[in-house]
C-alpha cells in the first residue's frame, strides 16, 4: 500500500474515532506519558500489504471492530458459573455482579446438558456437579431471582437441548414482566462442535439443524438483540486441536450456520449479526493473538465475498474468550493463576469482546468463592492497572505477530478447501460447507485430525520437548493441598424432591396437550419455538420435552472407529 492510501485510511479512521463515544478514563502511561489511540506506519511511508492490517473499525477488521478499541468500551467480564441447584448458583451470580462482573454465563450440569431431568436414572450422581441443575422454567426463575434479565447480558453454554432451555429462560423473563425484545445475550446452540469435539448431542444432525434454523428465524423476528448461536472453538481446542485447526473448524461451522440461514430464506445482513463466536485462549501467547486477529479478517472476507453480506455488522466477528481449562494443572495449582493471566492478556491483545478467566482449582473441582474472586480480579487488574486498554491493537505491525497472523490464516484456508471437498460437487441441501461438515462428522475426519494433533503434543510432553512447570519440570514444591468445593448428595436429593413437588402441583393435562402439540408441529414445516414455549409455560420439564422429541426423531450414536 502506498503512502497516499495509508494516509487516506488514517484520515478515515480519525473521523470515525472522533465521532465515536469514548470512556471517561486516563489514557496515559503509568509515568504520565500521553499515548495515541492507535499506531500505524510513519506518515509519508509506504507499507506493502498494509491493506491486510488496516485500521481499527475498518475492513478487514484485523485490528478490531471499533475505531476506539477498548477506549470506547472495555471487554465484558463474563464469568462462567453454575453449580448445585438454582438457589446456590443465584447467590454466586449476585457475588459476581456485586464484585464488578459485567455479564453472566451459565454452566449447566451434565443431566441438563444431555436433556435429562434430575430424577432420570441416568442422572444419578451427576446432579449439580459440573454446573447448575435446571429441570423446568421454575428453576430458571430461581436462577435469576433478583437479577434484571433486561439489564444484564446472559450467555448460556448448552447445545443439544439449547432450544428448550432457551424457552425456559424466555418464560423466566416473561414472569419478571420483561418485554422479550429487550433481552440481550448469547445461546451456544452449536451442534456441529458437539459431533466434532464435545459429544453432547441428542439427535442426528438434521433434527438439530431444524431446531437451530427455527431459533434463528424466531430471534431475528422477535428478539433482535439476542444472539441465538455462539459458534464454539473452545471445546475443539480443549479436545486437542492446534490453534489453526480450532480457528478453521470453528469458522467453517460458522459458515455452515450462515448457509443454514440462507437456506431458510433469511437475509444474511439481518441474521449474521446474531452469530457470535467462542474461542479458547491457550498458552502460546503470540500464536493466540494472531489467531484472534486472523479470525476477524477471514470472517469479514468470507461473509462479504462468498455469502454476499453488505452490512458492516454482518461482517463483524464478535467473540467471547475463555482461558484454557486444559492448560490448568492439578500439580502446583497456584501456578494456574499465572497461566490464566497470560492467556487472558492474549485474549485482550487479540481484541476479545468478552472474557472468562478460569479459577486456579478448576482442574480439581468447581471453583470456591475465593478462587472465583481471584479469577475475576485477574481480569480487573488487566483492565484497570496495566494500560492495555489505552491503544487499539498495540501489537499491530509487529513483524512476528503479522507473520503469525498470515500463517494461521493461510493454514485455515487450506482446511476450508479440504472440508468443502468432503462435501463433493453438489447439489447441497443447505450449502457446500455444511455438506462437507456433515460428511466430515460421518467419516470421523474432524475427530481423527484432532486426535492426531493431541497425540503429537502429548509425545512432545513425554519427551520433554514441551514443558509444563510443576508437571515435567520444576516439580519441587511447598504447596499445601487445596480446599475444594464439594457438591453434597443431599443437594441432589433435594433437587429431586422439589422436582416431584412441582410435577405434583401442575396441570398434567395441560402439559400433555402442549407437548403433543409441539410434536405435531415438528412433523410440519412450522416453527417449533412457539409451541415449545407453550409447553414450558405449562411447566413441562426439560426431560419431558427432549424425550418426546427423542421418540419422534430418534437418538444419535457415534459410529465406533479404531
Amino acid at each position: 500500500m502506498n503512502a497516499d492510501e495509508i494516509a487516506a485510511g488514517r484520515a478515515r479512521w480519525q473521523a470515525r474515532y472522533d465521532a465515536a463515544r469514548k470512556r471517561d478514563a486516563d489514557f496515559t502511561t503509568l509515568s504520565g506519558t500521553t499515548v495515541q489511540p492507535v499506531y500505524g506506519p510513519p506518515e509519508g511511508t509506504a507499507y506493502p500489504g498494509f491493506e491486510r492490517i488496516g485500521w481499527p473499525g475498518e475492513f478487514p477488521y484485523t485490528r478490531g471492530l471499533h475505531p476506539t478499541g477498548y477506549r470506547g468500551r472495555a471487554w465484558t467480564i463474563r464469568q462462567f458459573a453454575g453449580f448445585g441447584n438454582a438457589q446456590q448458583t443465584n447467590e454466586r451470580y449476585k457475588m459476581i455482579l456485586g464484585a464488578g462482573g459485567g455479564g453472566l454465563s451459565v454452566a449447566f450440569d451434565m443431566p441438563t446438558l444431555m436433556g435429562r431431568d434430575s430424577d432420570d436414572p441416568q442422572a444419578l450422581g451427576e446432579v449439580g456437579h459440573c454446573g447448575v441443575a435446571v429441570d423446568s422454567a421454575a428453576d430458571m426463575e430461581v436462577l435469576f431471582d433478583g437479577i434484571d434479565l433486561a439489564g444484564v447480558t446472559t450467555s448460556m453454554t448448552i447445545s443439544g437441548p439449547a432450544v428448550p432451555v432457551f424457552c425456559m429462560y424466555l418464560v423466566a423473563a416473561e414472569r419478571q414482566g420483561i418485554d422479550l425484545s429487550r433481552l440481550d445475550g448469547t445461546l451456544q446452540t452449536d451442534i456441529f462442535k458437539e459431533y466434532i469435539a464435545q459429544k453432547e448431542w441428542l439427535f442426528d444432525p438434521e433434527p438439530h439443524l431444524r431446531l437451530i434454523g427455527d431459533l434463528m428465524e424466531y430471534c431475528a423476528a422477535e428478539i433482535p438483540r439476542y444472539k441465538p448461536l455462539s459458534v464454539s472453538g473452545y471445546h475443539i481446542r480443549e479436545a486437542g486441536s492446534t490453534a489453526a485447526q480450532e480457528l478453521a473448524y470453528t469458522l467453517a461451522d460458522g459458515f455452515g450456520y450462515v448457509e443454514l440461514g440462507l437456506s431458510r430464506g433469511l437475509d444474511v445482513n439481518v441474521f449474521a449479526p446474531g452469530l457470535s463466536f467462542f474461542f479458547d485462549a491457550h498458552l502460546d501467547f503470540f500464536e493466540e493473538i494472531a489467531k484472534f486477529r486472523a479470525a476477524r479478517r477471514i470472517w469479514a472476507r468470507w461473509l462479504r465475498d462468498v455469502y454476499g453480506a453488505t452490512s458492516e455488522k454482518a461482517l463483524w466477528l464478535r467473540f467471547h474468550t475463555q482461558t484454557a481449562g486444559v492448560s490448568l494443572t492439578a500439580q502446583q495449582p497456584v501456578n494456574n493463576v499465572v497461566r490464566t493471566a497470560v492467556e487472558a492478556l492474549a485474549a485482550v491483545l487479540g481484541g476479545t469482546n468478552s472474557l472468562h478467566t478460569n479459577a486456579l482449582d478448576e482442574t480439581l473441582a468447581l471453583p470456591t468463592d475465593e478462587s472465583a474472586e481471584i479469577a475475576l480480579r485477574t481480569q480487573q487488574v488487566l483492565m484497570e492497572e496495566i494500560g492495555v486498554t489505552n491503544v487499539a491493537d498495540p501489537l499491530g505491525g509487529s513483524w512476528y505477530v503479522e507473520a503469525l497472523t498470515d500463517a494461521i490464516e493461510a493454514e485455515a484456508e487450506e482446511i476450508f478447501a479440504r472440508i468443502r471437498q468432503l462435501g463433493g460437487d453438489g447439489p447441497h441441501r443447505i450449502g457446500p460447507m455444511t455438506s462437507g461438515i456433515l460428511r466430515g462428522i460421518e467419516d470421523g475426519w474432524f475427530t481423527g485430525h484432532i486426535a492426531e494433533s493431541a497425540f503429537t503434543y502429548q509425545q512432545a510432553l513425554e519427551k520433554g520437548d514441551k514443558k509444563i512447570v510443576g508437571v515435567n519440570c520444576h516439580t519441587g514444591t511447598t504447596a499445601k493441598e487445596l480446599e475444594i468445593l464439594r457438591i453434597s448428595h443431599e443437594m441432589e436429593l433435594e433437587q429431586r424432591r422439589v422436582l416431584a413437588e412441582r410435577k405434583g402441583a401442575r396441570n398434567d393435562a395441560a402439559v400433555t396437550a402442549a407437548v403433543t402439540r409441539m410434536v405435531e408441529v415438528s412433523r410440519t414445516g412450522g416453527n417449533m419455538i412457539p409451541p415449545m414455549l407453550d409447553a414450558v409455560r405449562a411447566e413441562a420439564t426439560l426431560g419431558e420435552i427432549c424425550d418426546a422429541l427423542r421418540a419422534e426423531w430418534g437418538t444419535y450414536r457415534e459410529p465406533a472407529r479404531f
Side-chain angles (χ1 to χ4, degrees), residues 56 91 95 103 115 125 155 176 216 226 260 266 277 280 323 342 344 347 361 364 380 382 398 432 441 492 516 552:
E91 292 169 3
M95 182 274 282
S155 170
Q176 284 189 6
M216 291 170 70
Y226 203 91
L260 176 63
L266 298 177
F277 290 80
D280 197 299
T323 56
V342 170
D361 51 358
L364 301 167
Q380 291 169 331
L382 295 182
S398 156
I441 290 167
E492 180 170 335
T516 299
E552 183 69 19

Side-chain angles (χ1 to χ4, degrees), residues 1-4 6-7 41-47:
M1 182 175 281
N2 64 41
D4 290 342
I6 291 173
E43 290 188 23
T45 61
Y47 192 117

Side-chain angles (χ1 to χ4, degrees), residues 286-358:
F286 292 103
E287 182 175 59
E288 295 303 294
I289 295 166
K291 178 186 75 181
F292 299 132
R293 299 171 84 249
R296 277 191 299 270
R297 188 158 77 199
I298 294 168
W299 183 256
R301 188 179 65 253
W302 273 68
L303 264 288
R304 185 191 68 178
D305 297 346
V306 178
Y307 297 113
T310 55
S311 120
E312 184 175 59
K313 288 188 177 180
L315 306 182
W316 286 356
L317 182 140
R318 287 169 288 197
F319 66 96
H320 171 74
T321 309
Q322 181 174 339
T323 56
V326 75
S327 73
L328 304 179
T329 64
Q331 301 93 325
Q332 301 180 25
V334 175
N335 296 344
N336 294 331
V337 176
V338 181
R339 294 185 179 103
T340 295
V342 170
E343 293 163 353
L345 182 57
V348 169
L349 289 171
T352 193
N353 302 105
S354 64
L355 178 62
H356 165 88
T357 33
N358 290 327

Side-chain angles (χ1 to χ4, degrees), residues 508-523 528 531-532 534-535 540 544-545 548-549 552:
D508 285 341
V511 172
T512 300
V515 172
T516 299
R517 173 61 183 153
M518 178 194 70
V519 173
E520 289 171 350
V521 173
S522 77
R523 297 168 183 161
M528 290 185 62
M532 193 175 289
D534 287 340
E544 289 167 339
I545 291 170
L549 294 176
E552 183 69 19

Side-chain angles (χ1 to χ4, degrees), residues 166-246:
F166 181 66
C167 288
M168 292 174 185
Y169 164 78
L170 295 185
V171 170
E174 284 179 348
R175 293 173 181 175
Q176 284 189 6
I178 290 169
D179 176 359
L180 298 187
S181 67
R182 296 175 56 205
L183 293 175
D184 194 359
T186 304
L187 187 68
Q188 190 166 97
T189 328
D190 178 9
I191 204 63
F192 286 145
K193 63 89 178 173
E194 297 297 343
Y195 300 107
I196 291 171
Q198 199 175 22
K199 316 299 183 183
E200 292 166 3
W201 54 69
L202 276 64
F203 323 113
D204 287 341
E206 286 76 8
H208 276 298
L209 292 176
R210 155 75 186 275
L211 284 172
I212 293 169
D214 286 353
L215 182 67
M216 291 170 70
E217 288 181 354
Y218 187 84
C219 287
E222 305 292 337
I223 318 173
R225 296 171 63 187
Y226 203 91
K227 299 163 190 64
L229 266 164
S230 176
V231 190
S232 177
Y234 185 85
H235 308 90
I236 292 169
R237 189 66 177 282
E238 294 285 292
S241 76
T242 65
Q245 286 172 331
E246 176 197 358

Side-chain angles (χ1 to χ4, degrees), residues 60-77:
Y61 307 105
T62 308
R63 306 192 71 185
L65 304 180
H66 306 291
T68 52
Y70 292 133
R71 285 196 180 198
R73 179 181 176 182
W75 67 91
T76 299
I77 297 176

